Each structure stands twice: as C-alpha cells, then as structure tokens.
Amino acid sequence: MIFPCVLSGGIGSRLWPLSRKDRPKQFLPIFNGESLFQKTIKRVQGETFGAPIVIGNNNHRFLMGEQLGETGVEADTILLEPMGRNTAAPAAMAALLADEKDPEALVLLLPSDHLIGEENVFRQAIENASDAALSGQIVTFGITPHEPNTGYGYIQLEDGADPVRKVAAFVEKPDLLTAKKFLADHNYVWNAGIFLYSAKAMIDAFETHQPQLMADIRAALATRTEDLDFTRLDADAFAKIESISIDYAIMEKAPNISCVPMAPQWDDLGSWSAIWDVLDKDPEGNSGLGDTRFLGSQNCLAYADDGLVSVIGLSDVLVISTRDSVLVAHKDKAQDVKKIVEALENEGREEVNAHPRAYKLWGWTERINSGDRFSVQSMMIKPGKGLTLQSHLHRAEHWVVVSGTVEITIEGKAELLTENQSAFVPFGAQHKLYNPGKIPVRMIEVQSGTYLDADDILRHS
C-alpha cells in the first residue's frame, strides 16, 4: 500500500495579493473552482493508495479541513506543525506514521502546490518507481526540462535509459549558461521535490545519517494528541527539530538514491506569469479569471476577485485585483512580486498576512468595511456548527440573517431567527450562535465600539 503524504506548508508570496500567509497559493480555487491542494489530493486516490496523510501549518487547519471535505476525501491524519521546519521532518514523520499501520508501507511524499497536466504519466512514473522503492531505494522524481530554467534545482542522473536511474548528484539552482548546458544534456532533470520510499528505508536512512534529528522527530511525534479532526504536536518539542530539507538531510548522503525521469506537464506555479502559461487564452493570448474584459490587449492576465477588471491597450501585463489590494506588473517582472511583499512586511502591512475571508472551524467570516469604531463582515455558519459561548468587553454586535435559520442565545435565552430577522448583543452579554438546519446560514455582522480587534473575546465554553 502506498500512503500519500501531502505537504501543505509554504506561502507562495509571488502570487500576492491573492496568496497570503493565512491563505497561501495551494488553497486558491483558481482552477475551475478547485485549488492545487484539492487537485493534489484527488491525484493520489484509487486502489493503489491509502488514505492520505496531510502535514501542514496549524494556522491553515480549517482550510485543509474545509477543502478536504469539498473533495469528499477523508484523510488518515492531518498533522499540524506548530511552525515550519522544512521537508526533512515531515518525510521522517510520514515514514513513522505509515510504519505504525503497515511495516511494508510505501510513502509518496509530494508538495500540495504543483500542477500536473498529464496525471496518467505521473501515475505511470509511480508504478515504475514502486519496485525500486520496495527493494529499499529512496526514489525521487525528476522533470524532463523543456527550457533552461534557473529557478529549479537539478538532478544529475547516471548514464542509461532505464525507467529508474541512479542519481549521480544533486545540483543547486544554476546560472543561465549552466542551465543551457543542462538542457542539452539528457542526464539532467529538474528536482520536483516528490519522493517514493518504503517507511523502513527512510527510517533507516535517518537513523544512519541524522540520528540526533531523528531522535528529536521521534520525541516530537510522541507528544501528539487528537483535537477534533487534527493531530497536534507539542510546540516546544517540535521547535527542537532542526529546520533542514530532505535533500540536505538524506538525499545527498544516502547511497540508495534513484530517480524516475518524467514529463507529465508539471509546473510549480511559482509566479503569476506561470499561472498565465497554463490557463486557457483568447485569440489574443489573454487569460481572465473572474469578471474580466480585454480590449486591444495581447498576452495579458487579469484576475478579478471582486468586481470587474478591464484591460485596454496593454501587452504582457498582469492585473490582479482583490477586495483590498491591486497588483499591476509586467510579466517579465513577475518574480519581483516577492520584493513588494517583503517591503510590505517591513511596513507591517496586514495585506500580506490576512485575506478578507478568514476560515473557521464553523465556517468563515469576510470583511466588508471598517472604520473608526465600526466593522462590518459577512458570516457563513455550516450546518450543525456554531460559535462557542463568548462575550466582548469593548464592542456590541448587531446580526442580520440573510439566509437559513440560526439559533441565537443571548444571556441564556435562545431563539430561532430566519431570513430578514435580526438580533442585538450589548456590551458584555454572553452569546453564542448555532446552525440547526441542513443549509449554511449567511449573516451580516456589524460590530461597534471602542476596540474591535479579535482578541476582545472572553470564551465561556
């Protein structure tokens, strides 16, 4: 049995302003309503695979749960990392978790933010790699390059034409001249960061080449506790784990390393220009997502998160509009979006971190407007879910039900409200919300008071 382990860390800052720390690129539903995370989960379904292990950031737990639910896939484990520790720790933890279930298990370790156009080619590559992995090889997957790309690390393969080839060396991101040489040499492939290995082989590799790291990983995993659908780790124990990639920790040290070259129309979508590359285009080469229009423009990308975006008389331009930010850039400068994000971080701008829509265990909230002493937001409460009993010291709240039926409890008195009905929660009043129905509840919340930040909450249950 192959246990897929989907890594869901990372931010994707070059896809700002749509990608942010609280909703990074793998969760953006820009592919006909699906996200890269969901596409990755669906890619590893079928008789060959067991239920997936998902390892991701604690701050994204509700996004992971929400999007798994939308795919109809139930994860074996959703392991929450208290902080980022690169890829070595997840690789070892996935091996340990899989070994608990099946000592003969294989683990397919793969990022959640890659796009694969020809999934049949990818599945064939996994099949080609399986025998080698069962025999004790740690198999990585290399992408046959089609351009001299300087943004990827490379893998040098030993001579041969077999589907599984020994690895001669791992090569850092090259300069352009070197990348052109690699393109002409069929022994070089892009490092996709995807691995297939037996749980036993990876555990043995860590015990041999990284004994202290493995001891720290085991210690952290021993602290795990269950919290609803999630598995949590003690933050202090996890913080002791060295932050290091699986490439540096194991792949460059172990002798039992092989590679399967493949060409499945792979892309890690590291910029808006890469997004444009894979989208459908009009006769003038323009791609639009959302409510967009083009006039006298060529080879442009427009994204409208909310409202209409029109592009007139431009070529090779990116226009990305969200509710609170707009990015306009030449496609050749798409990689420089990261520099804008860094500058905004230094200024302490919240647009880098928070998207207007924030996902919760019970649904989501979305900012509409705010100002001095007021804030307005839309809310969605899932069927059978609700907000815990709480109160606020510095603000009052007004609720208007837009659709559905919600049970509202204020100071111990419960009542059902439906469309066009409203309620008022005064300062200090204990209150909670619950959706007893079978359809989502949509509400508008107006907060007013002297202090409106999220930490003005006293929880009573």
Side-chain angles (χ1 to χ4, degrees):
M1 180 69 72
I2 297 177
F3 287 84
C5 179
V6 177
L7 304 183
S8 188
I11 297 171
S13 59
R14 285 171 293 184
L15 293 185
W16 184 86
L18 195 57
S19 178
R20 309 193 187 188
K21 287 184 178 179
D22 68 357
R23 194 174 73 163
K25 75 172 183 177
Q26 63 266 31
F27 298 114
L28 303 177
I30 57 177
F31 299 96
N32 295 318
E34 280 192 330
S35 69
L36 291 171
F37 175 82
Q38 291 172 315
K39 284 182 169 294
T40 302
I41 292 293
K42 289 184 175 181
R43 192 177 300 135
V44 289
Q45 298 302 302
E47 294 181 0
T48 305
F49 303 104
I53 299 167
V54 178
I55 301 180
N57 190 306
N58 175 67
N59 295 333
H60 303 150
R61 61 193 182 279
F62 300 137
L63 273 168
M64 289 186 284
E66 177 87 13
Q67 295 203 354
L68 277 167
E70 290 175 358
T71 64
V73 174
E74 185 173 348
D76 174 88
T77 304
I78 304 176
L79 186 65
L80 303 179
E81 295 181 304
M83 69 278 299
R85 279 296 179 264
N86 217 308
T87 54
M93 287 184 172
L96 291 168
L97 291 171
D99 186 63
E100 291 177 357
K101 298 180 181 301
D102 178 6
E104 304 300 318
L106 296 182
V107 176
L108 177 66
L109 190 77
L110 68 167
S112 62
D113 58 354
H114 292 177
L115 185 67
I116 291 180
E118 295 186 8
E119 296 193 355
N120 60 320
V121 175
F122 178 61
R123 284 178 175 269
Q124 183 61 55
I126 294 172
E127 185 176 329
N128 292 342
S130 294
D131 286 343
L134 286 169
S135 71
Q137 291 290 303
I138 298 174
V139 184
T140 185
F141 293 81
I143 306 299
T144 304
H146 58 79
E147 63 179 3
N149 197 299
T150 61
Y152 301 136
Y154 284 71
I155 302 171
Q156 182 185 6
L157 307 177
E158 293 185 358
D159 289 336
D162 293 335
V164 183
R165 297 167 64 181
K166 294 292 291 183
V167 170
F170 288 87
V171 184
E172 296 289 341
K173 297 176 183 178
D175 57 29
L176 182 58
L177 181 61
T178 304
K180 289 180 178 179
K181 292 179 181 178
F182 290 170
L183 182 63
D185 186 335
H186 297 306
N187 287 334
Y188 286 86
V189 292
W190 293 335
N191 188 348
I194 304 172
F195 307 91
L196 183 70
Y197 50 85
S198 73
K200 183 180 185 303
M202 187 59 77
I203 292 170
D204 288 347
F206 270 88
E207 298 286 11
T208 300
H209 302 288
Q210 298 288 346
Q212 184 58 55
L213 177 60
M214 191 57 165
D216 292 339
I217 290 169
R218 286 186 183 274
L221 198 60
T223 70
R224 70 187 190 265
T225 57
E226 302 305 312
D227 178 14
L228 300 173
D229 296 332
F230 309 108
T231 300
R232 293 185 176 276
L233 301 173
D234 178 76
D236 291 337
F238 194 78
K240 294 177 182 178
I241 296 174
E242 181 184 1
S243 180
I244 185 173
S245 72
I246 184 64
D247 287 344
Y248 287 132
I250 299 298
M251 304 301 285
E252 295 184 2
K253 295 179 170 62
N256 54 326
I257 306 298
S258 297
C259 179
V260 172
M262 60 178 182
Q265 293 186 7
W266 171 92
D267 202 309
D268 73 346
L269 299 179
S271 69
W272 280 113
S273 59
I275 297 288
W276 174 83
D277 281 339
V278 301
L279 291 176
D280 293 334
K281 300 172 180 64
D282 68 16
E284 298 298 319
N286 300 304
S287 294
L289 294 169
D291 196 359
T292 58
R293 302 291 186 276
F294 298 94
L295 178 63
S297 297
Q298 297 81 38
N299 303 321
C300 293
L301 170 63
Y303 176 87
D305 188 35
D306 185 58
L308 169 67
V309 170
S310 298
V311 180
I312 302 173
L314 297 177
S315 298
D316 300 304
V317 168
L318 310 166
V319 182
I320 314 300
S321 174
T322 67
R323 177 162 288 182
D324 61 354
S325 302
V326 177
L327 168 73
V328 180
H330 194 279
K331 280 198 311 191
D332 289 348
K333 298 296 182 181
Q335 298 291 338
D336 290 344
V337 173
K338 189 173 184 178
K339 296 178 181 179
I340 288 289
V341 172
E342 291 171 352
L344 292 172
E345 282 184 315
N346 292 334
E347 296 173 18
R349 294 294 296 257
E350 189 63 16
E351 292 90 342
V352 173
N353 300 311
H355 193 274
R357 178 173 291 188
Y359 287 87
K360 314 288 186 180
L361 178 63
W362 45 263
W364 50 257
T365 62
E366 186 166 17
R367 296 193 310 271
I368 297 175
N369 198 2
S370 62
D372 185 28
R373 297 177 61 93
F374 80 92
S375 178
V376 183
Q377 64 180 8
S378 175
M379 301 172 62
M380 186 277 285
I381 305 175
K382 300 175 187 176
K385 301 291 185 179
L387 285 70
T388 57
L389 186 66
Q390 57 189 255
S391 62
H392 309 289
L393 296 178
H394 304 287
R395 72 174 187 249
E397 294 177 338
H398 303 253
W399 295 323
V400 179
V401 180
V402 177
S403 62
T405 299
V406 62
E407 181 183 84
I408 294 178
T409 303
I410 302 174
E411 290 294 318
K413 181 181 178 181
E415 62 177 325
L416 293 175
L417 297 184
T418 188
E419 295 181 13
N420 301 319
Q421 294 182 319
S422 62
F424 170 66
V425 183
F427 291 92
Q430 293 188 18
H431 58 279
K432 63 180 180 179
L433 297 168
Y434 175 71
N435 179 359
K438 296 184 178 180
I439 64 171
V441 167
R442 294 294 300 271
M443 300 173 58
I444 300 295
E445 180 183 76
V446 180
Q447 303 173 355
S448 60
T450 57
Y451 185 79
L452 304 176
D453 286 358
D455 57 357
D456 180 28
I457 295 180
L458 295 177
R459 300 194 185 277
H460 305 285
S461 65

